[in-house]
Amino acid sequence: MPQQTGEATLVLIKPDGIKKSLTGNILTKLSETRFIIVGAKVVRVTTKLAEAHYQHLKDKPFFPDLIKYIQGKPYGPQYERVFALVYKGPGAIPKIREMAGATNPEEADSVSIRGAYGRITTKGVFENVIHASSSPEDAEREIKLWFSPEEIVGDLYPTKKVTLPAREVLEWA
Ligand code: UDP
Ligand code: MG
């Protein structure tokens, strides 16, 4: 049975995962958990979003390269995107984290996603193919950063109604 309850976790298929054509492979692997997908979209990552997502690493020497990496800058315009997903189910945070594997792809279990597909670049950035939230606090912060309530199927966190001033939006012509 698909899991309808439980906690939610953010997964990003990073630009190297997209470039290596691993999207289908990763989705198949994650589908074996029976967790349900409650949000999914392709995102062109702004510098602001990248810096907010990785705020805990802002003092690290690799931070500038990390920001370029998550934006896909090293790979060319067609790879400047990530596939963002929210999975929900009991134990989704630790389970998907375990399937992702350790941060350093050389230390990750060889059958984990990062262990199987990750690499360390000559600049020292861990290109590890996938992001997975590491704690309930991180998951909530990250999901709220990447998704609006309207992009999530079902309820995750409390919401409020706000009226926005008139603004221009794009519609199909
Ligand atoms: N990272 C890196 N070198 C490090 C630590 C982290 O290149 O020494 C990169 C790597 O891509 C990692 C991301 O920064 O996935 C976020 O780091 P974090 O410590 O949050 O690891 P994660 O939660 O992704 O396992
Ligand atoms: Mg982390």
Side-chain angles (χ1 to χ4, degrees):
M1 279 279 288
Q3 304 286 352
Q4 300 290 340
T5 57
E7 76 237 27
T9 189
L10 180 78
V11 167
L12 303 175
I13 299 178
K14 297 181 177 182
D16 54 322
I18 292 178
K19 175 148 197 244
K20 290 173 174 169
S21 200
L22 292 170
T23 304
N25 191 305
I26 291 169
L27 294 183
T28 300
K29 236 179 189 304
L30 295 180
S31 74
E32 288 161 14
T33 61
R34 305 291 189 96
F35 298 139
I36 58 165
I37 296 171
V38 296
K41 62 179 176 179
V42 179
V43 183
R44 194 177 287 273
V45 183
T46 61
T47 304
K48 191 177 161 205
L49 176 58
E51 289 179 350
H53 180 73
Y54 284 133
Q55 63 176 23
H56 60 293
L57 298 169
K58 67 176 187 305
D59 297 327
K60 300 281 185 192
F62 57 82
F63 187 69
D65 287 327
L66 174 62
I67 296 307
K68 289 192 193 108
Y69 161 48
I70 197 66
Q71 293 184 282
K73 298 281 188 203
Y75 314 112
Q78 72 269 45
Y79 302 114
E80 288 180 11
R81 64 205 66 206
V82 304
F83 191 24
L85 300 123
V86 179
Y87 282 85
K88 190 178 179 192
I93 297 168
K95 179 66 192 166
I96 294 186
R97 188 79 191 167
E98 183 197 330
M99 292 176 80
T103 306
N104 180 338
E106 283 185 2
E107 289 170 5
D109 187 299
S110 56
V111 299
S112 68
I113 295 166
R114 289 169 164 181
Y117 303 121
R119 66 161 192 155
I120 302 178
T121 68
T122 47
K123 285 183 172 176
V125 174
F126 300 162
E127 285 189 348
N128 52 15
V129 171
I130 186 175
H131 168 82
S133 304
S134 55
S135 68
E137 296 71 30
D138 279 354
E140 179 170 347
R141 187 186 77 83
E142 292 170 0
I143 291 166
K144 288 178 173 176
L145 188 60
W146 287 82
F147 286 84
S148 70
E150 290 179 346
E151 293 172 321
I152 299 292
V153 175
D155 298 325
L156 282 188
Y157 311 116
T159 54
K160 61 181 179 191
K161 283 215 167 89
V162 295
T163 306
L164 295 174
R167 63 189 174 100
E168 281 188 347
V169 295
L170 281 187
E171 282 195 352
W172 303 120

